[in-house]
Amino acid sequence: MPNPGLSEDEMLEALRLVSEYGSITEAARQIGLKRETLQSRVNKAREKFPDLSDRKPEGHRVKGVSTLYDAEGNVKAQWVKSTEDEKRAEEAREAAIRALAASIPRAKPVPKPSAGLAHLLTLPCQLHELGSVRGAS
């Protein structure tokens, strides 16, 4: 029986998996496929869709590809669906926080007070106790 070949969906899924897991090796490991098999699918997808494999905004990953067909089944338009790469976004936020923290001037140390803090000591009391003290005088 002849091999019908890969469907467009299978090729696009191969590209999405590599984008999601960051490498062909990791994507193949995650889905339980031989690396060579996934590599072959990615190669065929890149041949069929050369402009889709890298068409995504910086900091995003490919989520999938949508296709619009006319009534006769001809492709009228295709577009890449992407989503924010959560790991890269988190790394960018952490880098921004570190950069901001590094730019904030540090306060100079304050010397320890020479006198004790006993003069600042306050005793806890209830409001009704204050009223009874006032009423007693």
Side-chain angles (χ1 to χ4, degrees):
M1 179 188 289
N3 182 347
L6 291 174
S7 70
E8 288 185 358
D9 288 342
E10 289 171 316
M11 289 184 228
L12 296 172
E13 178 68 4
L15 291 175
R16 187 194 67 75
L17 288 167
V18 172
S19 175
E20 179 178 341
Y21 293 109
S23 72
I24 291 173
T25 302
E26 182 61 18
R29 189 179 71 74
Q30 290 290 330
I31 64 170
L33 201 61
K34 287 184 178 180
R35 189 197 63 76
E36 295 80 11
T37 302
L38 186 58
Q39 178 72 60
S40 174
R41 290 180 184 183
V42 168
N43 291 345
K44 288 176 183 173
R46 287 180 177 157
E47 287 173 17
K48 181 149 180 87
F49 309 109
D51 59 333
L52 294 182
S53 58
D54 294 320
R55 279 180 43 195
K56 63 185 184 298
E58 181 67 31
H60 283 66
R61 63 179 177 82
V62 174
K63 203 166 87 169
V65 177
S66 291
T67 306
L68 174 65
Y69 297 95
D70 65 13
E72 289 79 40
N74 300 313
V75 175
K76 298 303 279 181
Q78 277 189 323
W79 59 96
V80 175
K81 298 182 290 186
S82 66
T83 187
E84 183 181 44
D85 184 340
E86 295 85 8
K87 182 179 176 186
R88 287 185 64 189
E90 181 63 26
E91 289 169 356
R93 284 190 289 273
E94 288 174 2
I97 290 169
R98 284 192 301 274
L100 181 60
S103 69
I104 297 173
R106 301 286 181 214
K108 294 179 182 174
V110 178
K112 181 179 175 183
S114 56
L117 299 177
H119 64 286
L120 298 177
L121 181 65
T122 57
L123 298 174
C125 63
Q126 300 288 330
L127 290 177
H128 70 277
E129 292 173 354
L130 290 175
S132 63
V133 170
R134 242 186 320 184
S137 37

